[in-house]
Amino acid sequence: MRTLVLLALVGLGAQLVDGSLGMAYGVTSTTLLLAIGTNPAAASATVHLAEVGTTLASGVSHWRFGNVDWKVVTKIGIPGAIGAFAGATFLSWLSTEIAKPLMSILLLGLGLYVLLRFTLRGLRTDRLGQPLRKRFLTPLGLVAGFMDATGGGGWGPVGTPAILASGRMEPRKVIGSIDTSEFFVAVAASLGFLFGLGTAGINPTWALALLIGGLIAAPIAAWLVRLVPPRVLGSAVGGIIVLTNARTLLNLDSFPVSDGVRSLVLWVIAVGWAVAVGYAFAQHRKAVAAERAEGAEQPEAAATTAA
């Protein structure tokens, strides 16, 4: 019972982050399942089964708040589904001994990318309104879908920053469109795992617990996307993913290290994470102050011109 409550809380927290940031539900949930000893393919399958419901609820919530561009959803969602099905069948055929370190390395890489991307770089706004080409969205969807199924998460960490970096869509519509298109990815990945695994190893009770937490959080997250600074949230989530998966890797027999070295590495990561979040928050406050100052200067300039 305690495990189910924990999973429901993780599902709630992960969906709050995913719905307001456009990433991290799968990565966060899969990381937890791996940490408690779940088979990698079964962990990804369980999370994707839960995501069929959470992504549908999230998509509807974002649509109601006007956060969805349906052209982008179609152009990236269909190739994403193809990539996810391929990734799910590929992971299903790997042995556990190979899959567990591989998945942890993928998750660690995605977490590091999220941490650095949102800590060090702001969001482009100089190309807002320009169309996103199919030749950009199709390969992006294929890669992100494959990464999502094999890593237990990756659709958001790959897709959201790539579209944000293009500067062609406002952040809330990027997040809403990525979350909505993830429904196709979750369905395709679940079918791929069903084809490769059957129902072996998939825990429907755990999936239901994750789903319940996610359903509660979905409408809240769609509303929060207008309020929560993505830069700070991205740094926080990226750090959690890096720390957890670094711990998983250091505990594997494939990486024999002493307890002292393991503790030192984890402490260094934790301190670096705290510094990154502090820096991201400081940069966010600086950006807000600059916007306010610019807004105050414009009326003064207008008044001077009129005089």
Side-chain angles (χ1 to χ4, degrees):
M1 185 64 186
R2 185 179 298 177
T3 300
L4 294 180
V5 172
L6 175 62
L7 287 169
L9 290 173
V10 167
L12 189 149
Q15 185 58 47
L16 276 175
V17 174
D18 188 273
S20 55
L21 185 61
M23 66 181 72
Y25 181 90
V27 179
T28 304
S29 303
T30 304
T31 292
L32 173 70
L33 292 182
L34 284 180
I36 62 177
T38 308
N39 174 285
S44 187
T46 300
V47 169
H48 280 92
L49 185 60
E51 282 187 316
V52 172
T54 59
T55 54
L56 180 60
S58 182
V60 171
S61 298
H62 277 296
W63 167 64
R64 290 180 64 114
F65 281 100
N67 298 334
V68 178
D69 185 320
W70 290 105
K71 290 182 180 179
V72 172
V73 169
T74 304
K75 289 177 182 177
I76 197 172
I78 294 173
I82 295 171
F85 185 86
T89 52
F90 171 74
L91 183 62
S92 299
W93 293 335
L94 283 180
S95 68
T96 303
E97 291 76 16
I98 297 174
K100 188 164 187 177
L102 176 63
M103 183 180 284
S104 292
I105 290 170
L106 285 173
L107 291 169
L108 179 65
L110 289 169
L112 188 61
Y113 177 73
V114 171
L115 176 64
L116 294 176
R117 174 67 179 81
F118 283 89
T119 299
L120 301 178
R121 298 182 61 184
L123 304 176
R124 292 190 63 171
T125 58
D126 58 316
R127 295 194 290 183
L128 281 176
Q130 295 183 22
L132 285 159
R133 306 292 183 187
K134 193 173 182 179
R135 63 188 179 211
F136 166 68
L137 292 174
T138 298
L140 177 63
L142 285 169
V143 172
F146 187 86
M147 290 288 288
D148 190 85
T150 55
W155 180 251
V158 174
T160 300
I163 299 178
L164 283 174
S166 73
R168 294 171 185 251
M169 287 179 69
E170 55 183 308
R172 70 182 182 89
K173 288 207 168 184
V174 174
I175 293 166
S177 300
I178 285 290
D179 273 8
T180 303
S181 59
E182 194 172 8
F183 172 74
F184 301 106
V185 174
V187 170
S190 295
L191 290 174
F193 283 119
L194 186 63
F195 173 75
L197 292 175
T199 57
I202 301 175
N203 193 318
T205 307
W206 288 7
L208 181 61
L210 288 169
L211 173 61
I212 291 171
L215 290 177
I216 294 171
I220 302 172
W223 172 71
L224 281 177
V225 72
R226 299 165 178 261
L227 307 175
V228 179
R231 189 166 191 170
V232 177
L233 199 53
S235 294
V237 172
I240 292 173
I241 296 165
V242 169
L243 183 63
T244 306
N245 286 285
R247 180 179 176 275
T248 299
L249 284 171
L250 290 170
N251 285 331
L252 292 175
D253 294 335
S254 311
F255 298 88
V257 294
S258 66
D259 291 341
V261 172
R262 184 184 299 112
S263 298
L264 177 62
V265 171
L266 294 178
W267 271 108
V268 169
I269 293 174
V271 171
W273 173 30
V275 171
V277 172
Y279 178 81
F281 182 70
Q283 292 300 308
H284 168 69
R285 292 191 63 182
K286 187 183 295 185
V288 170
E291 287 178 6
R292 287 176 178 169
E294 184 179 345
E297 288 174 1
Q298 288 177 354
E300 292 179 6
T304 303
T305 303

